[in-house]
Amino acid sequence: MIKIQENVLLERYTTLRIGGAAKYFIEVYSIEELKEALHYAKDNALTYYVIAGGSDLLISDEGLSGLIIKLSLQGLTLEDARIIVASGTSLQKLVDYTIEHGLAGIEKLNNIPGSVGGAVYGNAGAFGQTISDKLIRVRVLVGDKEKYLSKQDLEFDYRESVLKNHKDWIITEVEFEMGMGDRELLRKTASEVLETRKQKYALGIKCPGSFFKNLLINRLPIELQKDIPKDYFGKVPAWWFLEQVGAKGATRGQIKISDHHANLYINQGGGTAADFFALAKEYKDKVKDRFGVDLEPEVQLVGFKEEL
Ligand SMILES: Cc1cc2nc3c(=O)[nH]c(=O)nc-3n(C[C@H](O)[C@H](O)[C@H](O)COP(=O)(O)OP(=O)(O)OC[C@H]3O[C@@H](n4cnc5c(N)ncnc54)[C@H](O)[C@@H]3O)c2cc1C
């Protein structure tokens, strides 16, 4: 039986600790509850938006007049090298589990916050690995119908999946076919990754990860490619462009761009979505003016009237 709450502040549910209130809010723990929540939205003519770990969200200060559905479906089963995971399971739990079982292929995703479903939605990745590498298929709920989508159906690309074009497709379960690996080696890789990540993300940092997507080198104009210092897995980091236009250390209200990383926007405490948006826009515009490049947010913007 679902419990409907009213006027729930969403800042509690984002790693950035920003976000106004949702008029209605439901946390669901099973597919049945998810179906009930969708019926509630339909019966009451409410728009709805699903969230999970809230680690890739910038929610406006005004919040949402509709319904927020927080996905907390949990579970993990293993058969040979095939893993079936409920979408609300934390990605870290899955990464830890695979390493413990000597299963290779997602160990470099160590320390990425959020859920497995959220990771699939945006094809999360790090250090050359992505969540889609070992993915076989996902189970989605569309209205009150369930279906499976194969890896091919999901049209994965850099930080992209077909789900971004189908906001009413909700992932409930994800299936992976893992490779076999050496447990000690997997542990070593994961801890090396963790050490590198600690340099970017201080403990307890209030942020949504990198804000803008990196750019794929082969999609940039040739004349620009020669100025780029280094190839990061076929990409040019967004921070490089942002750094050239002086983003490092810039502030607006309580939002600060890291002194060490020009694509990392931090809430120093009590920051607003309006200030975040304005600061992001300021430097996006500067990059466009100087390089003619359009930076695109990797983070999902929710409840804004204007596009970034
Ligand atoms: C400190 C930090 C470091 C990070 N590092 C990385 C990194 O290295 N690589 C990387 O790729 N990302 C990184 N991120 C971003 C983020 O962790 C990932 O994008 C994560 O996978 C998002 O999952 P989530 O559950 O938090 O999604 P949420 O933020 O809750 O939601 C994000 C989007 O996914 C949709 N969504 C969520 N669950 C489902 C579902 N089950 N079905 C359909 N749609 C769904 C939501 O509607 C929303 O549009 C980082 C974030 C932080 C805070």
Side-chain angles (χ1 to χ4, degrees), residues 51-98:
I51 63 168
S55 62
D56 208 24
L57 294 175
L58 173 61
I59 300 180
S60 75
D61 300 314
E62 289 71 36
L64 267 110
S65 56
L67 170 68
I68 286 282
I69 304 175
K70 173 158 166 61
L71 301 167
S72 293
L73 293 82
Q74 302 290 319
L76 203 158
T77 55
L78 172 68
E79 207 175 293
D80 301 322
R82 187 168 281 229
I83 301 187
I84 302 175
V85 200
S87 63
T89 307
S90 86
L91 178 60
Q92 188 61 49
K93 187 170 178 180
L94 175 65
V95 170
D96 289 342
Y97 185 88
T98 55

Side-chain angles (χ1 to χ4, degrees), residues 45-308:
L46 298 173
T47 54
Y48 68 86
Y49 191 82
V50 298
I51 63 168
S55 62
D56 208 24
L57 294 175
L58 173 61
I59 300 180
S60 75
D61 300 314
E62 289 71 36
L64 267 110
S65 56
L67 170 68
I68 286 282
I69 304 175
K70 173 158 166 61
L71 301 167
S72 293
L73 293 82
Q74 302 290 319
L76 203 158
T77 55
L78 172 68
E79 207 175 293
D80 301 322
R82 187 168 281 229
I83 301 187
I84 302 175
V85 200
S87 63
T89 307
S90 86
L91 178 60
Q92 188 61 49
K93 187 170 178 180
L94 175 65
V95 170
D96 289 342
Y97 185 88
T98 55
I99 294 172
E100 276 317 295
H101 287 78
L103 300 170
I106 57 167
E107 60 284 355
K108 292 184 182 171
L109 309 187
N110 191 28
N111 198 237
I112 298 183
S115 68
V116 174
V120 173
Y121 177 88
N123 194 16
F127 304 103
Q129 272 182 1
T130 66
I131 192 75
S132 56
D133 295 349
K134 299 289 168 188
L135 185 145
I136 303 292
R137 62 176 186 171
V138 300
R139 191 169 159 193
V140 290
L141 185 66
V142 186
D144 51 12
K145 296 209 168 32
E146 290 190 66
K147 62 175 177 178
Y148 282 96
L149 299 174
S150 68
K151 181 169 176 166
Q152 206 180 6
D153 296 333
L154 286 160
E155 295 174 19
F156 286 114
D157 199 346
Y158 169 63
R159 298 294 177 272
E160 286 294 333
S161 77
V162 76
L163 295 153
K164 290 196 174 176
N165 305 323
H166 297 275
K167 300 282 184 197
D168 57 335
W169 292 6
I170 304 174
I171 306 168
T172 55
E173 213 173 73
V174 188
E175 222 168 298
F176 301 91
E177 181 80 47
M178 305 299 298
M180 297 311 286
D182 177 83
R183 196 186 308 174
E184 286 316 310
L185 226 59
L186 296 171
R187 274 197 191 128
K188 186 168 173 283
T189 304
S191 69
E192 283 166 3
V193 161
L194 181 61
E195 285 312 308
T196 309
R197 293 181 68 88
K198 274 191 201 158
Q199 288 161 28
K200 179 172 175 190
Y201 300 112
L203 200 67
I205 191 171
K206 299 182 193 72
C207 75
S210 297
F211 185 72
F212 290 107
K213 282 186 195 171
N214 295 330
L215 291 113
L216 296 167
I217 286 189
N218 59 13
R219 294 186 198 164
L220 285 176
I222 301 280
E223 64 279 11
L224 224 138
Q225 288 182 23
K226 66 178 178 358
D227 295 333
I228 310 295
K230 205 171 158 194
D231 175 348
Y232 293 81
F233 303 105
K235 297 179 202 89
V236 189
W239 62 252
W240 186 81
F241 291 104
L242 290 159
E243 204 173 298
Q244 306 309 304
V245 295
K248 265 184 172 176
T251 59
R252 185 154 182 144
Q254 284 301 101
I255 306 297
K256 175 168 184 175
I257 302 177
S258 164
D259 291 326
H260 312 288
H261 199 291
N263 194 20
L264 182 57
Y265 287 63
I266 302 163
N267 175 9
Q268 299 184 100
T272 65
D275 280 340
F276 194 118
F277 187 96
L279 193 61
K281 182 150 176 42
E282 182 183 340
Y283 283 94
K284 175 183 159 67
D285 289 350
K286 284 186 177 173
V287 168
K288 175 75 179 173
D289 287 350
R290 170 117 172 241
F291 296 100
V293 162
D294 277 308
L295 291 181
E296 257 183 70
E298 176 174 331
V299 169
Q300 304 300 297
L301 275 65
V302 184
F304 290 88
K305 293 190 183 81
E306 206 191 323
E307 295 250 315
L308 192 69

Side-chain angles (χ1 to χ4, degrees), residues 2 4 6 24 26 35-46 67:
I2 54 171
I4 299 136
E6 286 187 41
Y24 301 98
I26 301 176
K35 284 182 180 169
E36 260 188 78
L38 294 174
H39 276 137
Y40 180 83
K42 197 172 175 195
D43 294 347
N44 294 282
L46 298 173
L67 170 68

